[in-house]
Amino acid sequence: MNNICKLNKLISKSSSLPNIKINYFKNVIMFSSSLNLNRFYSTNNDNNNNNNNKLKKPLSIGQATFETHPYLLDKNEITKGIKMKEFKDRREKLMKSFPIGSVVVLFTPPEPMMSYDIPWAFRQNTNFNYLTGFNEPEAVLVLVKTSELDHQSHLFVRERNEEKEKWDGARCGAENVKKYFGIDFGYNLTNRDIPILGKLLQSTSEGKLYCNTTPWSQLSNKLEPFLQNIKFYTVESLLQQIRLIKSESEIKMMLTSGEIAGISFHETMKYTATKSSTSPLNEYQVSAYFEWCVKDKGAQRMSYPPVVAGGDNGHTLHYIQNNQILNVSDLLLMDAGCEYWGYTSDITRTFPVSGKFTEAQSEIYQAVLDVNKKCIELCKPGETINSIHLKSVELIQSHLKRLGIINENNPNDYRLYYPHSIGHYLGMDTHDTLDFDYGVTLEPGMIITIEPGIYISKYDSNVPEKYRGISIRVEDDVVIPKPNNPPLILTHLAPKEISEIESIMSNK
């Protein structure tokens, strides 16, 4: 299964995004306020009438369902905010690009181990999650194109096992696949059903099998007898093409993710100023506080290992050691985000540990913020990440010259202080849809980051002394709007004006 060739043909571009009506939260998100908890509890009269009834335990399938978590999911939602129909539509959209008789297969292997028999916290393969919403390891999705307008879906999962579930938690099992995930046929990954999987894969037309590139050697060995003379093609680019443009429900999930992270930045700024004023504060304490904040508000995990870089550590773009004591005279560059039901946020804010910018820090900060705002205005259909980046270079060069950091004779020296792109695609993965370069024309519903920065080492003797050791990045997540509409900033709750940051950090 490791000899996988590249799939040459991409599907056509997705249609435009429907009208989006999104409620902006101006204050701290109170997730519980919208829940009508009364519908989940019996009244006293109900209890009196049902005293003789036996309690019936809802079926647990190893992930939240409306039956087990009605305060989290609405009816017909497979995962938060995404209904069963949307998952079916995604599979349908994928299969439209294939000829009749084609077979597409996606694998999600056993959970990786941290050491011996201790697993890492499980995160589902992104494409598998996108097509199914299924959140267990060791599963196989098979899609068979049966006609121009239809396909069959088959999901192979771990068999239910009372003894193992007692230790590791509930499993879905083949018998519950159709009800909870809208898949046509469910099977267990047992020696009895693996030949069924093998024959399904073997049935593909023209000896071509379209699959993801996730390795799973143990299963591959069992399937090898069925896959003689089969050629493998990756389906990755096709799935990324579909995922580039987000649906209305996906944008709402991304907005919630951005708002959770934005509010958490607000709280982390306040925490940093308060804590550092009374005792030494370590970068890892700030990191831990932010992680607590996002999880307290409903996020499942961090989007990526956060950058919490005090002072000159901010000069290292992906500094994740986060183990230095913060100096109260320094800036803290913090790049962090959260994952909310599979959808990520990615924010960078830079703020003074003391709560008050120095004059030199303010000058560099306002330069970066100016570039951030002007590049967000360019986030519209017809642009590309590359074209926005070129504008950001123009602006950065102008500011660096004005501040005396570079001169007219060496304009390309800007690369010493701004060495990265203006942004990247964002979605279910932080660096989303990596097969697509930054020259792709932006369309409504795409989401990108805008993250200009200026990074000056404290050992750089070529710049004015007052600017040495100042590293600043300001990053937001932005939805490309329909024509003639303003961009939607998903991270609007993360403070970025100097006056707002200083007010928060002074507890005003």
Side-chain angles (χ1 to χ4, degrees):
M1 297 293 293
N2 292 326
N3 293 326
I4 299 178
C5 306
K6 274 284 182 184
L7 179 60
N8 297 318
K9 188 176 179 182
L10 297 177
I11 61 172
S12 59
K13 288 186 178 179
S14 304
S15 58
S16 297
L17 186 74
N19 288 327
I20 302 169
K21 294 182 180 177
I22 296 177
N23 178 36
Y24 288 81
F25 299 109
K26 298 300 181 185
N27 300 310
V28 174
I29 302 175
M30 300 297 291
F31 294 101
S32 61
S33 64
S34 63
L35 301 177
N36 179 14
L37 296 178
N38 290 331
R39 63 186 171 126
F40 308 128
Y41 299 98
S42 301
T43 64
N44 288 334
N45 288 337
D46 291 335
N47 289 335
N48 292 334
N49 293 335
N50 294 306
N51 277 339
N52 296 323
N53 290 346
K54 260 190 169 181
L55 288 174
K56 185 178 179 182
K57 182 181 178 182
L59 175 67
S60 178
I61 63 162
Q63 67 187 75
T65 66
F66 175 71
E67 294 170 358
T68 59
H69 295 71
Y71 50 89
L72 287 179
L73 299 180
D74 289 337
K75 201 168 185 180
N76 297 321
E77 284 185 343
I78 291 180
T79 61
K80 181 73 174 176
I82 312 293
K83 293 187 180 295
M84 185 181 290
K85 183 181 184 304
E86 182 157 342
F87 284 102
K88 288 183 176 180
D89 290 344
R90 292 170 179 178
R91 297 191 292 268
E92 190 68 41
K93 194 171 190 177
L94 172 66
M95 295 309 290
K96 278 182 180 176
S97 58
F98 292 100
I100 295 171
S102 297
V103 175
V104 173
V105 57
L106 273 78
F107 302 91
T108 181
E111 55 193 335
M113 292 293 159
M114 185 167 59
S115 66
Y116 298 109
D117 60 348
I118 306 298
W120 291 101
F122 178 67
R123 184 186 187 272
Q124 184 60 279
N125 173 275
T126 301
N127 285 328
F128 203 96
N129 188 13
Y130 182 77
L131 291 178
T132 65
F134 185 73
N135 196 37
E136 288 182 37
E138 297 183 61
V140 183
L141 174 68
V142 181
L143 303 174
V144 181
K145 183 75 173 278
T146 54
S147 71
E148 284 296 338
L149 301 175
D150 204 7
H151 73 277
Q152 286 182 348
S153 53
H154 307 255
L155 188 60
F156 293 77
V157 301
R158 297 180 302 181
E159 187 176 30
R160 297 203 71 147
N161 182 308
E162 187 175 348
E163 183 61 28
K164 289 185 178 179
E165 290 181 56
K166 185 184 296 183
W167 287 90
D168 300 324
R171 297 177 175 186
C172 176
E175 61 271 28
N176 297 309
V177 158
K178 185 167 186 175
K179 176 181 177 181
Y180 290 101
F181 298 95
I183 301 290
D184 297 323
F185 303 99
Y187 309 88
N188 291 313
L189 268 177
T190 59
N191 288 334
R192 184 191 66 192
D193 284 358
I194 282 177
I196 298 174
L197 171 59
K199 288 175 183 176
L200 275 172
L201 304 184
Q202 202 175 48
S203 71
T204 186
S205 63
E206 301 178 357
K208 297 177 180 178
L209 190 62
Y210 303 93
C211 56
N212 62 348
T213 55
T214 304
W216 187 354
S217 57
Q218 188 177 3
L219 182 61
S220 298
N221 292 338
K222 292 181 179 180
L223 290 173
E224 191 172 355
F226 299 95
L227 301 176
Q228 304 301 316
N229 303 317
I230 298 287
K231 292 182 179 179
F232 303 100
Y233 297 82
T234 179
V235 76
E236 184 69 34
S237 292
L238 283 167
L239 281 166
Q240 289 188 25
Q241 175 78 10
I242 297 170
R243 284 172 43 210
L244 261 178
I245 297 179
K246 277 61 178 178
S247 68
E248 181 177 348
S249 56
E250 287 184 291
I251 291 173
K252 288 179 180 178
M253 296 300 290
M254 295 282 288
L255 177 63
T256 302
S257 181
E259 290 185 326
I260 289 173
I263 293 169
S264 297
F265 263 97
H266 181 290
E267 295 176 0
T268 300
M269 289 174 184
K270 184 176 289 191
Y271 166 83
T272 300
T274 302
K275 195 81 173 175
S276 64
S277 67
T278 59
S279 60
L281 183 63
N282 198 294
E283 292 164 340
Y284 68 71
Q285 291 174 275
V286 180
S287 175
Y289 186 79
F290 181 88
E291 184 168 355
W292 179 85
C293 285
V294 297
K295 289 182 176 178
D296 181 57
K297 294 168 180 58
Q300 285 71 47
R301 58 176 64 88
M302 301 287 280
S303 298
Y304 47 88
V307 173
V308 184
D312 203 51
N313 291 334
H315 191 249
T316 302
L317 298 179
H318 286 167
Y319 169 85
I320 59 172
Q321 286 85 352
N322 303 341
N323 60 7
Q324 293 288 331
I325 296 292
L326 295 170
N327 187 324
V328 291
S329 64
D330 282 338
L331 292 172
L332 176 59
L333 187 156
M334 185 167 177
D335 186 337
C338 65
E339 186 174 307
Y340 181 72
W341 289 85
Y343 290 90
T344 62
S345 50
D346 183 0
I347 305 176
T348 306
R349 292 294 184 262
T350 309
F351 49 96
V353 175
S354 67
K356 184 75 176 174
F357 287 88
T358 67
E359 184 180 346
Q361 290 169 349
S362 294
E363 289 173 355
I364 302 294
Y365 189 92
Q366 289 290 14
V368 175
L369 184 60
D370 175 65
V371 180
N372 169 272
K373 290 178 176 179
K374 286 177 177 172
C375 287
I376 286 175
E377 291 174 3
L378 296 174
C379 293
K380 55 190 178 183
E383 295 282 355
T384 67
I385 293 178
N386 282 342
S387 68
I388 298 172
H389 176 70
L390 289 175
K391 181 63 177 178
S392 76
V393 168
E394 220 178 276
L395 294 166
I396 290 280
Q397 283 177 320
S398 175
H399 283 299
L400 292 176
K401 289 174 188 175
R402 176 179 57 80
L403 294 167
I405 295 171
I406 63 174
N407 58 55
E408 294 287 349
N409 296 328
N410 298 295
N412 287 330
D413 281 355
Y414 82 87
R415 292 191 179 95
L416 298 172
Y417 308 104
Y418 178 42
H420 58 75
S421 173
I422 188 62
H424 54 81
Y425 304 112
L426 185 72
M428 296 180 78
D429 291 325
T430 303
H431 291 162
D432 208 42
T433 57
L434 280 176
D435 280 6
F436 290 85
D437 65 34
Y438 295 163
V440 172
T441 301
L442 297 176
E443 298 181 44
M446 289 184 180
I447 299 177
I448 64 172
T449 64
I450 294 295
E451 48 183 301
I454 293 175
Y455 314 89
I456 305 169
S457 168
K458 69 178 180 180
Y459 305 106
D460 189 344
S461 58
N462 294 316
V463 303
E465 186 176 357
K466 64 178 181 177
Y467 295 138
R468 295 173 195 170
I470 295 177
S471 292
I472 293 170
R473 181 164 66 249
V474 180
E475 176 182 15
D476 285 294
D477 305 341
V478 185
V479 181
I480 307 303
K482 283 181 171 289
N484 304 316
N485 287 303
L488 172 62
I489 303 173
L490 301 173
T491 47
H492 65 103
L493 290 181
K496 65 179 179 180
E497 298 293 340
I498 285 180
S499 59
E500 185 182 7
I501 292 170
E502 291 185 339
S503 176
I504 289 166
M505 297 186 76
S506 64
N507 288 314
K508 289 180 181 177

